[in-house]
Amino acid sequence: MDITTYKRRVAHEVRIGEVRIGSSHPIAVQSMTNTATADTQESVAQVERIAQAGAPIVRLTAQGRKEGENLQNIMLRLREDGCRAAIVADIHFVPEVAAIAAQYVDKVRINPGNYRTSNGELQSLIAQCRERGVALRIGVNHGSLAKRIFDEFGDTPEGMVISAMEFLKVCREENFDQVVVSMKSSNTRVMVHAYRLLVEAMEKEGMTYPIHLGVTEAGNGLEGRIKSAVGIGALLSDGIGDTIRVSLTEAPENEVPVAQMIVEHYAQREGVFEVKHPERYSYTEYRRRSDVTTPITHDELTEEFCVIEAQSKNPTAELRAAILNMDGTQPVVVKCRYEQTSAEVVGVKAAADLGVLFLDGLADGIWVDAPNLSEEQVRDIELMILQAARVRFSHTEYIACPSCGRTLYDIEKTLADIKSRTNHLKNLKIGIMGCVVNGPGEMADADYGYVGAAAGRITLYKGREVVERNIPQEEAIERLIELIKRNGDWVEA
């Protein structure tokens, strides 16, 4: 007999400046600046706004020596101003910059896809981090695996886990435990699968490193919040996660209250629910429990569906147990009531509670019972949850990065402009990426891509293939639309 409930995975303590994370501490929220890290004044001001919004951890990109060195000035100014937020340097392509940043910040994030263990680079960085008490994040990105990993395992969750474990084993060999690990993807199914596989792999090795959760390139508005809540909530419901970031293509301080809402939603989960199903359910292999291929919204309900309504403060565990205890494969609609008057609050909480049941192939329909919202608002929320869980696509999906100091154009305005021209199209995914670090890799699922190439220049993609390179930004949206039409994908919903 299995038990489904809420219990956090055991994770040891990691110190990030004055912040402590791990399973004996509350889940910490964080965000990332989108200012140029070489600009001390703007970066300091934005870090302070993020910290004032409630994030104890703030990350800045450091793409080159200039930005890495300027972290010293940023740290000095922040501490002079009395800002005690833990500061993280985000390093991608240049290991040398990680060594520079480690002299000044509280944590360094590196991407295994752009780092090596064979030449002692990682070991040297670990020694430097140990000396100053700097934490390290092994941050694996779905779209930027090392070539040798990609060639053998493809762009898969399994490849992501192998990449992370290689680096974690080096950290263990060096007896360095101040390490956090993440497995980011814009595809919630890939993201959840990768984290679950990682936890299994770490458990086999006796590793208890804390885990950083996030859905990359979630977009903006209610859709971006729901997509983040589906992925993050799925893992928090499994007890996985010690720090989270909600990535939105908006001002970074807007991310903080959404992350806090998700954390508070999981602060108290009650009840233990027995699962009498004869087979232990596999949470890492996607398959549908019933023959329903397209899950329904509540206004599409027919007699063939069985409705199961959550009654406890742990709806995910309660509904999961109820479905697994059923005999047969009758289609199931999962229902949960939300009394809030804000569509954002209802959407985020419903996505966190119910999204995982679709990611795991258990549910066949969704019923968000929200009496204080309009029927149109409820239907939009239900469809957004189904789309975020990758089981039903009802509108154009935008894989848009939250932007950072590497971004080469006004991505918020560009996303709004592209949405206004294309949001009526059917079964289309468009990636809008600030630079080549996350695009094109992180927009691997996109049908078309709009990627910053240089100041005032954009490169357009069809899938992963470059179609037009370094075109003027003022022409790029029109040429993107022409590209979509030329390939026969301009189909209105």
Side-chain angles (χ1 to χ4, degrees), residues 28-34 46-47 49-51 53-60 86 88 137 212 243-248 250-256 259 402-403:
V29 304
Q30 56 181 278
S31 185
M32 183 176 183
T33 62
N34 59 15
Q46 192 171 74
V47 168
R49 288 197 299 273
I50 293 169
I57 305 170
V58 183
R59 183 159 44 114
L60 301 91
V88 183
R137 172 150 74 98
H212 168 122
T243 179
I244 71 171
R245 180 198 175 190
V246 170
S247 298
L248 299 175
E250 300 178 17
E253 51 266 39
N254 291 357
E255 300 175 349
V256 180
S403 82

PDB file of all heavy atoms in Angstrom, residues 28-34 46-47 49-51 53-60 86 88 137 212 243-248 250-256 259 402-403:
ATOM      1  N   ALA A  28      12.716  29.294  -0.071  1.00  0.00           N
ATOM      2  CA  ALA A  28      13.097  30.679  -0.348  1.00  0.00           C
ATOM      3  C   ALA A  28      12.732  31.050  -1.779  1.00  0.00           C
ATOM      4  O   ALA A  28      12.907  30.254  -2.703  1.00  0.00           O
ATOM      5  CB  ALA A  28      14.604  30.860  -0.129  1.00  0.00           C
ATOM      6  N   VAL A  29      12.233  32.276  -1.967  1.00  0.00           N
ATOM      7  CA  VAL A  29      11.926  32.750  -3.318  1.00  0.00           C
ATOM      8  C   VAL A  29      13.051  33.646  -3.810  1.00  0.00           C
ATOM      9  O   VAL A  29      13.794  34.231  -3.015  1.00  0.00           O
ATOM     10  CB  VAL A  29      10.588  33.507  -3.367  1.00  0.00           C
ATOM     11  CG1 VAL A  29       9.467  32.637  -2.824  1.00  0.00           C
ATOM     12  CG2 VAL A  29      10.655  34.817  -2.592  1.00  0.00           C
ATOM     13  N   GLN A  30      13.196  33.729  -5.113  1.00  0.00           N
ATOM     14  CA  GLN A  30      14.246  34.557  -5.682  1.00  0.00           C
ATOM     15  C   GLN A  30      13.827  35.098  -7.036  1.00  0.00           C
ATOM     16  O   GLN A  30      12.823  34.685  -7.609  1.00  0.00           O
ATOM     17  CB  GLN A  30      15.548  33.779  -5.795  1.00  0.00           C
ATOM     18  CG  GLN A  30      15.494  32.493  -6.576  1.00  0.00           C
ATOM     19  CD  GLN A  30      16.849  31.793  -6.590  1.00  0.00           C
ATOM     20  OE1 GLN A  30      17.729  32.120  -7.369  1.00  0.00           O
ATOM     21  NE2 GLN A  30      17.012  30.817  -5.689  1.00  0.00           N
ATOM     22  N   SER A  31      14.612  36.062  -7.549  1.00  0.00           N
ATOM     23  CA  SER A  31      14.375  36.627  -8.865  1.00  0.00           C
ATOM     24  C   SER A  31      15.723  36.996  -9.463  1.00  0.00           C
ATOM     25  O   SER A  31      16.776  36.753  -8.863  1.00  0.00           O
ATOM     26  CB  SER A  31      13.447  37.843  -8.771  1.00  0.00           C
ATOM     27  OG  SER A  31      13.134  38.325 -10.065  1.00  0.00           O
ATOM     28  N   MET A  32      15.678  37.586 -10.667  1.00  0.00           N
ATOM     29  CA  MET A  32      16.904  37.923 -11.390  1.00  0.00           C
ATOM     30  C   MET A  32      16.756  39.282 -12.045  1.00  0.00           C
ATOM     31  O   MET A  32      15.698  39.606 -12.594  1.00  0.00           O
ATOM     32  CB  MET A  32      17.206  36.854 -12.442  1.00  0.00           C
ATOM     33  CG  MET A  32      18.507  37.071 -13.201  1.00  0.00           C
ATOM     34  SD  MET A  32      18.845  35.693 -14.330  1.00  0.00           S
ATOM     35  CE  MET A  32      20.449  36.193 -14.985  1.00  0.00           C
ATOM     36  N   THR A  33      17.807  40.077 -12.001  1.00  0.00           N
ATOM     37  CA  THR A  33      17.769  41.394 -12.616  1.00  0.00           C
ATOM     38  C   THR A  33      17.760  41.297 -14.135  1.00  0.00           C
ATOM     39  O   THR A  33      18.217  40.306 -14.709  1.00  0.00           O
ATOM     40  CB  THR A  33      18.988  42.236 -12.195  1.00  0.00           C
ATOM     41  OG1 THR A  33      20.175  41.587 -12.659  1.00  0.00           O
ATOM     42  CG2 THR A  33      19.057  42.410 -10.687  1.00  0.00           C
ATOM     43  N   ASN A  34      17.255  42.357 -14.789  1.00  0.00           N
ATOM     44  CA  ASN A  34      17.366  42.432 -16.246  1.00  0.00           C
ATOM     45  C   ASN A  34      18.099  43.695 -16.673  1.00  0.00           C
ATOM     46  O   ASN A  34      18.031  44.103 -17.828  1.00  0.00           O
ATOM     47  CB  ASN A  34      15.994  42.337 -16.916  1.00  0.00           C
ATOM     48  CG  ASN A  34      15.034  43.439 -16.469  1.00  0.00           C
ATOM     49  OD1 ASN A  34      15.451  44.430 -15.885  1.00  0.00           O
ATOM     50  ND2 ASN A  34      13.753  43.251 -16.752  1.00  0.00           N
ATOM     51  N   GLN A  46      17.728  47.978  -8.989  1.00  0.00           N
ATOM     52  CA  GLN A  46      16.790  46.885  -9.256  1.00  0.00           C
ATOM     53  C   GLN A  46      16.928  45.763  -8.233  1.00  0.00           C
ATOM     54  O   GLN A  46      15.914  45.191  -7.801  1.00  0.00           O
ATOM     55  CB  GLN A  46      16.982  46.331 -10.663  1.00  0.00           C
ATOM     56  CG  GLN A  46      15.844  45.409 -11.071  1.00  0.00           C
ATOM     57  CD  GLN A  46      15.906  45.018 -12.528  1.00  0.00           C
ATOM     58  OE1 GLN A  46      16.736  44.205 -12.921  1.00  0.00           O
ATOM     59  NE2 GLN A  46      15.034  45.598 -13.340  1.00  0.00           N
ATOM     60  N   VAL A  47      18.136  45.444  -7.823  1.00  0.00           N
ATOM     61  CA  VAL A  47      18.304  44.440  -6.768  1.00  0.00           C
ATOM     62  C   VAL A  47      17.535  44.873  -5.523  1.00  0.00           C
ATOM     63  O   VAL A  47      16.841  44.061  -4.887  1.00  0.00           O
ATOM     64  CB  VAL A  47      19.796  44.239  -6.431  1.00  0.00           C
ATOM     65  CG1 VAL A  47      19.949  43.416  -5.151  1.00  0.00           C
ATOM     66  CG2 VAL A  47      20.534  43.549  -7.571  1.00  0.00           C
ATOM     67  N   ARG A  49      14.931  46.838  -5.332  1.00  0.00           N
ATOM     68  CA  ARG A  49      13.487  46.719  -5.553  1.00  0.00           C
ATOM     69  C   ARG A  49      13.028  45.271  -5.408  1.00  0.00           C
ATOM     70  O   ARG A  49      11.972  44.997  -4.827  1.00  0.00           O
ATOM     71  CB  ARG A  49      13.109  47.247  -6.943  1.00  0.00           C
ATOM     72  CG  ARG A  49      13.201  48.752  -7.078  1.00  0.00           C
ATOM     73  CD  ARG A  49      12.428  49.247  -8.305  1.00  0.00           C
ATOM     74  NE  ARG A  49      12.928  48.697  -9.556  1.00  0.00           N
ATOM     75  CZ  ARG A  49      13.914  49.232 -10.275  1.00  0.00           C
ATOM     76  NH1 ARG A  49      14.540  50.321  -9.834  1.00  0.00           N
ATOM     77  NH2 ARG A  49      14.286  48.689 -11.417  1.00  0.00           N
ATOM     78  N   ILE A  50      13.816  44.358  -5.951  1.00  0.00           N
ATOM     79  CA  ILE A  50      13.482  42.935  -5.846  1.00  0.00           C
ATOM     80  C   ILE A  50      13.501  42.494  -4.387  1.00  0.00           C
ATOM     81  O   ILE A  50      12.599  41.786  -3.922  1.00  0.00           O
ATOM     82  CB  ILE A  50      14.458  42.092  -6.691  1.00  0.00           C
ATOM     83  CG1 ILE A  50      14.262  42.387  -8.187  1.00  0.00           C
ATOM     84  CG2 ILE A  50      14.262  40.600  -6.418  1.00  0.00           C
ATOM     85  CD1 ILE A  50      15.346  41.799  -9.076  1.00  0.00           C
ATOM     86  N   ALA A  51      14.536  42.923  -3.655  1.00  0.00           N
ATOM     87  CA  ALA A  51      14.641  42.566  -2.241  1.00  0.00           C
ATOM     88  C   ALA A  51      13.482  43.156  -1.443  1.00  0.00           C
ATOM     89  O   ALA A  51      12.893  42.485  -0.580  1.00  0.00           O
ATOM     90  CB  ALA A  51      15.976  43.041  -1.682  1.00  0.00           C
ATOM     91  N   ALA A  53      10.580  43.727  -2.538  1.00  0.00           N
ATOM     92  CA  ALA A  53       9.366  42.986  -2.902  1.00  0.00           C
ATOM     93  C   ALA A  53       9.257  41.686  -2.123  1.00  0.00           C
ATOM     94  O   ALA A  53       8.188  41.059  -2.114  1.00  0.00           O
ATOM     95  CB  ALA A  53       9.358  42.701  -4.399  1.00  0.00           C
ATOM     96  N   GLY A  54      10.357  41.248  -1.487  1.00  0.00           N
ATOM     97  CA  GLY A  54      10.304  40.070  -0.636  1.00  0.00           C
ATOM     98  C   GLY A  54      11.193  38.910  -1.037  1.00  0.00           C
ATOM     99  O   GLY A  54      11.089  37.826  -0.462  1.00  0.00           O
ATOM    100  N   ALA A  55      12.103  39.097  -2.006  1.00  0.00           N
ATOM    101  CA  ALA A  55      13.000  38.017  -2.416  1.00  0.00           C
ATOM    102  C   ALA A  55      14.323  38.143  -1.670  1.00  0.00           C
ATOM    103  O   ALA A  55      15.033  39.142  -1.842  1.00  0.00           O
ATOM    104  CB  ALA A  55      13.251  38.058  -3.915  1.00  0.00           C
ATOM    105  N   PRO A  56      14.708  37.157  -0.873  1.00  0.00           N
ATOM    106  CA  PRO A  56      15.977  37.230  -0.149  1.00  0.00           C
ATOM    107  C   PRO A  56      17.187  36.872  -1.005  1.00  0.00           C
ATOM    108  O   PRO A  56      18.328  37.053  -0.572  1.00  0.00           O
ATOM    109  CB  PRO A  56      15.797  36.213   0.974  1.00  0.00           C
ATOM    110  CG  PRO A  56      14.846  35.204   0.406  1.00  0.00           C
ATOM    111  CD  PRO A  56      13.919  35.972  -0.494  1.00  0.00           C
ATOM    112  N   ILE A  57      16.956  36.346  -2.216  1.00  0.00           N
ATOM    113  CA  ILE A  57      18.037  35.946  -3.117  1.00  0.00           C
ATOM    114  C   ILE A  57      17.813  36.623  -4.463  1.00  0.00           C
ATOM    115  O   ILE A  57      16.711  36.564  -5.013  1.00  0.00           O
ATOM    116  CB  ILE A  57      18.074  34.413  -3.310  1.00  0.00           C
ATOM    117  CG1 ILE A  57      18.174  33.691  -1.966  1.00  0.00           C
ATOM    118  CG2 ILE A  57      19.246  34.011  -4.206  1.00  0.00           C
ATOM    119  CD1 ILE A  57      17.983  32.183  -2.067  1.00  0.00           C
ATOM    120  N   VAL A  58      18.863  37.266  -5.005  1.00  0.00           N
ATOM    121  CA  VAL A  58      18.761  37.955  -6.290  1.00  0.00           C
ATOM    122  C   VAL A  58      19.950  37.564  -7.156  1.00  0.00           C
ATOM    123  O   VAL A  58      21.096  37.557  -6.696  1.00  0.00           O
ATOM    124  CB  VAL A  58      18.732  39.486  -6.119  1.00  0.00           C
ATOM    125  CG1 VAL A  58      18.541  40.165  -7.474  1.00  0.00           C
ATOM    126  CG2 VAL A  58      17.625  39.905  -5.158  1.00  0.00           C
ATOM    127  N   ARG A  59      19.678  37.272  -8.427  1.00  0.00           N
ATOM    128  CA  ARG A  59      20.725  36.825  -9.354  1.00  0.00           C
ATOM    129  C   ARG A  59      20.973  37.891 -10.414  1.00  0.00           C
ATOM    130  O   ARG A  59      20.055  38.553 -10.882  1.00  0.00           O
ATOM    131  CB  ARG A  59      20.283  35.502  -9.992  1.00  0.00           C
ATOM    132  CG  ARG A  59      21.282  34.867 -10.931  1.00  0.00           C
ATOM    133  CD  ARG A  59      21.009  33.369 -11.111  1.00  0.00           C
ATOM    134  NE  ARG A  59      19.604  33.054 -11.306  1.00  0.00           N
ATOM    135  CZ  ARG A  59      19.079  32.558 -12.436  1.00  0.00           C
ATOM    136  NH1 ARG A  59      19.862  32.338 -13.478  1.00  0.00           N
ATOM    137  NH2 ARG A  59      17.807  32.277 -12.516  1.00  0.00           N
ATOM    138  N   LEU A  60      22.250  38.036 -10.798  1.00  0.00           N
ATOM    139  CA  LEU A  60      22.638  38.926 -11.893  1.00  0.00           C
ATOM    140  C   LEU A  60      23.469  38.138 -12.889  1.00  0.00           C
ATOM    141  O   LEU A  60      24.266  37.275 -12.506  1.00  0.00           O
ATOM    142  CB  LEU A  60      23.475  40.110 -11.401  1.00  0.00           C
ATOM    143  CG  LEU A  60      22.874  41.054 -10.361  1.00  0.00           C
ATOM    144  CD1 LEU A  60      23.230  40.590  -8.948  1.00  0.00           C
ATOM    145  CD2 LEU A  60      23.406  42.472 -10.574  1.00  0.00           C
ATOM    146  N   ALA A  86      21.020  38.015  -0.560  1.00  0.00           N
ATOM    147  CA  ALA A  86      22.080  37.138  -1.064  1.00  0.00           C
ATOM    148  C   ALA A  86      22.201  37.348  -2.570  1.00  0.00           C
ATOM    149  O   ALA A  86      21.196  37.330  -3.286  1.00  0.00           O
ATOM    150  CB  ALA A  86      21.751  35.685  -0.759  1.00  0.00           C
ATOM    151  N   VAL A  88      23.700  36.362  -6.325  1.00  0.00           N
ATOM    152  CA  VAL A  88      24.148  35.215  -7.123  1.00  0.00           C
ATOM    153  C   VAL A  88      24.624  35.717  -8.481  1.00  0.00           C
ATOM    154  O   VAL A  88      23.966  36.547  -9.106  1.00  0.00           O
ATOM    155  CB  VAL A  88      22.997  34.208  -7.331  1.00  0.00           C
ATOM    156  CG1 VAL A  88      23.486  32.978  -8.096  1.00  0.00           C
ATOM    157  CG2 VAL A  88      22.380  33.823  -5.995  1.00  0.00           C
ATOM    158  N   ARG A 137      25.690  26.779  -7.634  1.00  0.00           N
ATOM    159  CA  ARG A 137      24.519  26.116  -8.241  1.00  0.00           C
ATOM    160  C   ARG A 137      24.921  25.451  -9.534  1.00  0.00           C
ATOM    161  O   ARG A 137      25.481  26.097 -10.424  1.00  0.00           O
ATOM    162  CB  ARG A 137      23.365  27.082  -8.515  1.00  0.00           C
ATOM    163  CG  ARG A 137      22.236  26.399  -9.339  1.00  0.00           C
ATOM    164  CD  ARG A 137      20.867  26.935  -9.057  1.00  0.00           C
ATOM    165  NE  ARG A 137      20.616  28.233  -9.631  1.00  0.00           N
ATOM    166  CZ  ARG A 137      19.974  28.442 -10.793  1.00  0.00           C
ATOM    167  NH1 ARG A 137      19.570  27.422 -11.546  1.00  0.00           N
ATOM    168  NH2 ARG A 137      19.746  29.661 -11.203  1.00  0.00           N
ATOM    169  N   HIS A 212      16.676  23.820  -6.622  1.00  0.00           N
ATOM    170  CA  HIS A 212      16.101  25.084  -7.091  1.00  0.00           C
ATOM    171  C   HIS A 212      15.113  24.758  -8.205  1.00  0.00           C
ATOM    172  O   HIS A 212      15.451  24.080  -9.164  1.00  0.00           O
ATOM    173  CB  HIS A 212      17.249  25.966  -7.610  1.00  0.00           C
ATOM    174  CG  HIS A 212      16.827  27.183  -8.385  1.00  0.00           C
ATOM    175  ND1 HIS A 212      17.200  28.450  -8.001  1.00  0.00           N
ATOM    176  CD2 HIS A 212      16.105  27.337  -9.512  1.00  0.00           C
ATOM    177  CE1 HIS A 212      16.707  29.325  -8.868  1.00  0.00           C
ATOM    178  NE2 HIS A 212      16.040  28.670  -9.797  1.00  0.00           N
ATOM    179  N   THR A 243      14.112  26.154  -3.058  1.00  0.00           N
ATOM    180  CA  THR A 243      14.068  27.552  -3.450  1.00  0.00           C
ATOM    181  C   THR A 243      13.451  27.610  -4.840  1.00  0.00           C
ATOM    182  O   THR A 243      13.641  26.688  -5.644  1.00  0.00           O
ATOM    183  CB  THR A 243      15.465  28.212  -3.429  1.00  0.00           C
ATOM    184  OG1 THR A 243      15.353  29.573  -3.847  1.00  0.00           O
ATOM    185  CG2 THR A 243      16.456  27.489  -4.324  1.00  0.00           C
ATOM    186  N   ILE A 244      12.671  28.663  -5.132  1.00  0.00           N
ATOM    187  CA  ILE A 244      11.983  28.728  -6.418  1.00  0.00           C
ATOM    188  C   ILE A 244      12.118  30.108  -7.043  1.00  0.00           C
ATOM    189  O   ILE A 244      12.262  31.114  -6.343  1.00  0.00           O
ATOM    190  CB  ILE A 244      10.490  28.362  -6.318  1.00  0.00           C
ATOM    191  CG1 ILE A 244       9.685  29.462  -5.599  1.00  0.00           C
ATOM    192  CG2 ILE A 244      10.297  27.017  -5.627  1.00  0.00           C
ATOM    193  CD1 ILE A 244       8.185  29.257  -5.660  1.00  0.00           C
ATOM    194  N   ARG A 245      12.069  30.124  -8.375  1.00  0.00           N
ATOM    195  CA  ARG A 245      11.940  31.373  -9.107  1.00  0.00           C
ATOM    196  C   ARG A 245      10.830  31.225 -10.135  1.00  0.00           C
ATOM    197  O   ARG A 245      10.801  30.254 -10.900  1.00  0.00           O
ATOM    198  CB  ARG A 245      13.237  31.730  -9.831  1.00  0.00           C
ATOM    199  CG  ARG A 245      13.071  33.067 -10.589  1.00  0.00           C
ATOM    200  CD  ARG A 245      14.088  33.294 -11.658  1.00  0.00           C
ATOM    201  NE  ARG A 245      13.776  34.526 -12.385  1.00  0.00           N
ATOM    202  CZ  ARG A 245      14.375  34.894 -13.503  1.00  0.00           C
ATOM    203  NH1 ARG A 245      15.332  34.144 -14.032  1.00  0.00           N
ATOM    204  NH2 ARG A 245      14.023  36.011 -14.118  1.00  0.00           N
ATOM    205  N   VAL A 246       9.929  32.177 -10.153  1.00  0.00           N
ATOM    206  CA  VAL A 246       8.917  32.271 -11.202  1.00  0.00           C
ATOM    207  C   VAL A 246       9.478  33.209 -12.268  1.00  0.00           C
ATOM    208  O   VAL A 246       9.732  34.379 -11.992  1.00  0.00           O
ATOM    209  CB  VAL A 246       7.593  32.804 -10.635  1.00  0.00           C
ATOM    210  CG1 VAL A 246       6.623  33.129 -11.757  1.00  0.00           C
ATOM    211  CG2 VAL A 246       6.983  31.799  -9.663  1.00  0.00           C
ATOM    212  N   SER A 247       9.699  32.710 -13.474  1.00  0.00           N
ATOM    213  CA  SER A 247      10.327  33.489 -14.549  1.00  0.00           C
ATOM    214  C   SER A 247       9.268  34.114 -15.445  1.00  0.00           C
ATOM    215  O   SER A 247       8.601  33.407 -16.200  1.00  0.00           O
ATOM    216  CB  SER A 247      11.250  32.596 -15.391  1.00  0.00           C
ATOM    217  OG  SER A 247      12.294  32.074 -14.603  1.00  0.00           O
ATOM    218  N   LEU A 248       9.112  35.433 -15.363  1.00  0.00           N
ATOM    219  CA  LEU A 248       8.108  36.133 -16.151  1.00  0.00           C
ATOM    220  C   LEU A 248       8.768  37.189 -17.034  1.00  0.00           C
ATOM    221  O   LEU A 248       9.757  37.812 -16.629  1.00  0.00           O
ATOM    222  CB  LEU A 248       7.092  36.833 -15.239  1.00  0.00           C
ATOM    223  CG  LEU A 248       6.279  35.941 -14.306  1.00  0.00           C
ATOM    224  CD1 LEU A 248       5.415  36.798 -13.386  1.00  0.00           C
ATOM    225  CD2 LEU A 248       5.412  34.967 -15.101  1.00  0.00           C
ATOM    226  N   GLU A 250       8.409  40.193 -17.489  1.00  0.00           N
ATOM    227  CA  GLU A 250       7.893  41.406 -16.872  1.00  0.00           C
ATOM    228  C   GLU A 250       8.999  41.982 -15.983  1.00  0.00           C
ATOM    229  O   GLU A 250      10.081  41.411 -15.885  1.00  0.00           O
ATOM    230  CB  GLU A 250       6.656  41.093 -16.014  1.00  0.00           C
ATOM    231  CG  GLU A 250       5.491  40.477 -16.765  1.00  0.00           C
ATOM    232  CD  GLU A 250       4.315  40.156 -15.856  1.00  0.00           C
ATOM    233  OE1 GLU A 250       4.263  40.690 -14.725  1.00  0.00           O
ATOM    234  OE2 GLU A 250       3.453  39.357 -16.281  1.00  0.00           O
ATOM    235  N   ALA A 251       8.708  43.084 -15.305  1.00  0.00           N
ATOM    236  CA  ALA A 251       9.647  43.600 -14.320  1.00  0.00           C
ATOM    237  C   ALA A 251       9.925  42.506 -13.300  1.00  0.00           C
ATOM    238  O   ALA A 251       8.987  41.857 -12.815  1.00  0.00           O
ATOM    239  CB  ALA A 251       9.069  44.829 -13.634  1.00  0.00           C
ATOM    240  N   PRO A 252      11.195  42.240 -12.970  1.00  0.00           N
ATOM    241  CA  PRO A 252      11.503  41.089 -12.109  1.00  0.00           C
ATOM    242  C   PRO A 252      10.839  41.123 -10.745  1.00  0.00           C
ATOM    243  O   PRO A 252      10.542  40.072 -10.174  1.00  0.00           O
ATOM    244  CB  PRO A 252      13.033  41.124 -11.998  1.00  0.00           C
ATOM    245  CG  PRO A 252      13.448  42.463 -12.474  1.00  0.00           C
ATOM    246  CD  PRO A 252      12.408  42.925 -13.425  1.00  0.00           C
ATOM    247  N   GLU A 253      10.567  42.331 -10.214  1.00  0.00           N
ATOM    248  CA  GLU A 253       9.918  42.377  -8.912  1.00  0.00           C
ATOM    249  C   GLU A 253       8.491  41.824  -8.970  1.00  0.00           C
ATOM    250  O   GLU A 253       7.926  41.448  -7.937  1.00  0.00           O
ATOM    251  CB  GLU A 253       9.923  43.794  -8.340  1.00  0.00           C
ATOM    252  CG  GLU A 253       9.407  44.870  -9.252  1.00  0.00           C
ATOM    253  CD  GLU A 253      10.494  45.572 -10.058  1.00  0.00           C
ATOM    254  OE1 GLU A 253      11.435  44.893 -10.516  1.00  0.00           O
ATOM    255  OE2 GLU A 253      10.387  46.803 -10.231  1.00  0.00           O
ATOM    256  N   ASN A 254       7.912  41.742 -10.181  1.00  0.00           N
ATOM    257  CA  ASN A 254       6.576  41.145 -10.326  1.00  0.00           C
ATOM    258  C   ASN A 254       6.593  39.639 -10.086  1.00  0.00           C
ATOM    259  O   ASN A 254       5.544  39.041  -9.805  1.00  0.00           O
ATOM    260  CB  ASN A 254       6.021  41.402 -11.728  1.00  0.00           C
ATOM    261  CG  ASN A 254       5.685  42.858 -11.977  1.00  0.00           C
ATOM    262  OD1 ASN A 254       5.807  43.695 -11.082  1.00  0.00           O
ATOM    263  ND2 ASN A 254       5.278  43.180 -13.191  1.00  0.00           N
ATOM    264  N   GLU A 255       7.765  39.022 -10.224  1.00  0.00           N
ATOM    265  CA  GLU A 255       7.867  37.580 -10.032  1.00  0.00           C
ATOM    266  C   GLU A 255       7.713  37.181  -8.571  1.00  0.00           C
ATOM    267  O   GLU A 255       7.237  36.091  -8.256  1.00  0.00           O
ATOM    268  CB  GLU A 255       9.224  37.077 -10.536  1.00  0.00           C
ATOM    269  CG  GLU A 255       9.478  37.326 -12.007  1.00  0.00           C
ATOM    270  CD  GLU A 255      10.881  36.921 -12.432  1.00  0.00           C
ATOM    271  OE1 GLU A 255      11.732  36.645 -11.552  1.00  0.00           O
ATOM    272  OE2 GLU A 255      11.122  36.877 -13.649  1.00  0.00           O
ATOM    273  N   VAL A 256       8.116  38.078  -7.685  1.00  0.00           N
ATOM    274  CA  VAL A 256       8.241  37.723  -6.270  1.00  0.00           C
ATOM    275  C   VAL A 256       6.897  37.382  -5.620  1.00  0.00           C
ATOM    276  O   VAL A 256       6.780  36.332  -4.968  1.00  0.00           O
ATOM    277  CB  VAL A 256       8.984  38.831  -5.502  1.00  0.00           C
ATOM    278  CG1 VAL A 256       9.111  38.460  -4.026  1.00  0.00           C
ATOM    279  CG2 VAL A 256      10.361  39.070  -6.112  1.00  0.00           C
ATOM    280  N   ALA A 259       5.720  33.921  -6.711  1.00  0.00           N
ATOM    281  CA  ALA A 259       6.488  32.852  -6.059  1.00  0.00           C
ATOM    282  C   ALA A 259       6.075  32.704  -4.602  1.00  0.00           C
ATOM    283  O   ALA A 259       5.920  31.584  -4.089  1.00  0.00           O
ATOM    284  CB  ALA A 259       7.986  33.143  -6.168  1.00  0.00           C
ATOM    285  N   PRO A 402      12.512  35.739 -19.464  1.00  0.00           N
ATOM    286  CA  PRO A 402      12.227  36.870 -18.588  1.00  0.00           C
ATOM    287  C   PRO A 402      13.160  38.045 -18.813  1.00  0.00           C
ATOM    288  O   PRO A 402      12.936  39.114 -18.261  1.00  0.00           O
ATOM    289  CB  PRO A 402      12.420  36.283 -17.187  1.00  0.00           C
ATOM    290  CG  PRO A 402      13.396  35.172 -17.389  1.00  0.00           C
ATOM    291  CD  PRO A 402      13.068  34.594 -18.736  1.00  0.00           C
ATOM    292  N   SER A 403      14.188  37.861 -19.590  1.00  0.00           N
ATOM    293  CA  SER A 403      15.235  38.837 -19.899  1.00  0.00           C
ATOM    294  C   SER A 403      16.192  38.995 -18.732  1.00  0.00           C
ATOM    295  O   SER A 403      15.859  38.716 -17.583  1.00  0.00           O
ATOM    296  CB  SER A 403      14.670  40.195 -20.340  1.00  0.00           C
ATOM    297  OG  SER A 403      14.301  40.983 -19.239  1.00  0.00           O
TER     298      SER A 403
END
